[in-house]
Amino acid sequence: MKHGKKYLESMKLFDKNMLYGAAEAMKFCVDTAKAKFDETIEIHIKLGVDSRHADQQVRGAVVLPNGTGKNIKVLAICRGEGERLAKEAGADYIGAEDMVAKIQNENWMDFDVLVTTPDMMGMVGRLGRVLGPRGLMPNPKAGTVSTDIFKAVKEVKAGKIEYRLDKTNIMHCPLGKASFGVEKLLENFDALIDAVIKAKPEATKGQYIRSCVVASTMGPGIRINPNRVM
């Protein structure tokens, strides 16, 4: 793979074979974000679990103290009082049957997160084939299916992110923008890591966090010492 000049220059700032502490890695991450846009800082965590087994699933959600730096478009599917509460909380789109039909018939997807109430899941469930592959299907573990629609929308708008494993037992999450600076990114990092550690399945054997890498959108990956994280 060929890399650009800025990427190669960034590689000279740190030792790719070293395992760094979180603060040091975050500083390198910010320093290597050299694109003309405000790059997202991402984290990739490999866990010592087997997600093929139900008792080793790791999934949940956490509100990042400093948000993600992205304006999240929220669709709230609810009825009655829920519509008023969702609007108060800042939902961008609100509806029920009309919104479900819009997604089904027009393949409309102009939102980042779908939040709903338990009584609407029968209707929303029909969208599984459309929403599932895109990771947009609401889930109680992620807090996107809730009886408290106001709180659910408010948390998403404030910077709530979902963490879950892919097929290779790695989770990929945003930590914020390079412009946040090291301190705010570290606060977000700590909040996410704490949540992941608390979600450790009882069936897990051996080392839980196998590897941890942070990188800016266009920058190289910087390895964090997993033992120091734990």
Side-chain angles (χ1 to χ4, degrees):
M1 184 184 291
K2 290 187 177 181
H3 292 294
K5 184 180 176 182
K6 289 182 180 179
Y7 185 98
L8 295 174
E9 285 177 354
S10 294
M11 288 293 292
K12 296 175 184 177
L13 297 176
F14 65 97
D15 184 344
K16 67 177 183 179
N17 298 312
M18 275 282 289
L19 294 175
Y20 293 98
E24 201 171 4
M26 220 60 70
K27 183 181 184 304
F28 285 132
C29 223
V30 171
D31 290 344
T32 56
K34 296 181 177 181
K36 291 181 180 179
F37 61 92
D38 193 4
E39 295 183 51
T40 297
I41 304 300
E42 303 160 353
I43 185 168
H44 311 277
I45 309 168
K46 184 171 180 62
L47 298 183
V49 299
D50 188 344
S51 58
R52 292 175 298 177
H53 300 293
D55 62 350
Q56 293 188 52
Q57 289 287 335
V58 180
R59 182 176 184 176
V62 60
V63 178
L64 299 179
N66 302 297
T68 62
K70 180 183 177 183
N71 180 30
I72 305 295
K73 291 182 182 178
V74 178
L75 165 61
I77 292 184
C78 49
R79 285 197 185 107
E81 179 68 2
E83 294 185 33
R84 183 186 67 80
L85 292 170
K87 185 177 181 180
E88 241 178 69
D92 300 273
Y93 308 103
I94 303 164
E97 289 87 351
D98 56 332
M99 284 300 180
V100 172
K102 191 176 177 71
I103 294 170
Q104 282 181 322
N105 302 330
E106 302 173 27
N107 200 32
W108 177 76
M109 290 287 162
D110 189 26
F111 57 92
D112 302 299
V113 179
L114 194 160
V115 174
T116 190
T117 50
D119 61 300
M120 300 297 287
M121 275 306 291
M123 184 191 302
V124 175
R126 299 201 296 267
L127 300 172
R129 287 185 181 179
V130 181
L131 300 177
R134 293 176 169 84
L136 293 171
M137 193 67 185
N139 185 289
K141 288 185 179 179
T144 45
V145 179
S146 174
T147 53
D148 190 343
I149 195 78
F150 180 88
K151 182 182 178 184
V153 172
K154 203 79 174 172
E155 286 184 340
V156 171
K157 296 295 281 186
K160 187 175 191 176
I161 62 164
E162 183 181 0
Y163 57 86
R164 59 178 172 177
L165 297 169
D166 64 12
K167 292 178 181 178
T168 60
N169 301 315
I170 300 175
M171 52 180 61
H172 314 271
C173 301
L175 284 178
K177 296 291 185 179
S179 60
F180 281 17
V182 175
E183 190 174 334
K184 286 185 177 180
L185 288 169
L186 266 179
E187 289 174 358
N188 284 355
F189 171 84
D190 288 341
L192 175 61
I193 290 295
D194 284 348
V196 172
I197 290 173
K198 287 175 183 175
K200 180 182 178 181
E202 290 183 12
T204 304
K205 295 178 181 178
Q207 187 172 354
Y208 180 49
I209 295 181
R210 294 281 177 87
S211 68
C212 185
V213 177
V214 288
S216 60
T217 305
M218 305 296 289
I222 298 139
R223 299 161 68 201
I224 294 177
N225 190 330
N227 296 319
R228 290 170 70 177
V229 167
M230 291 296 289

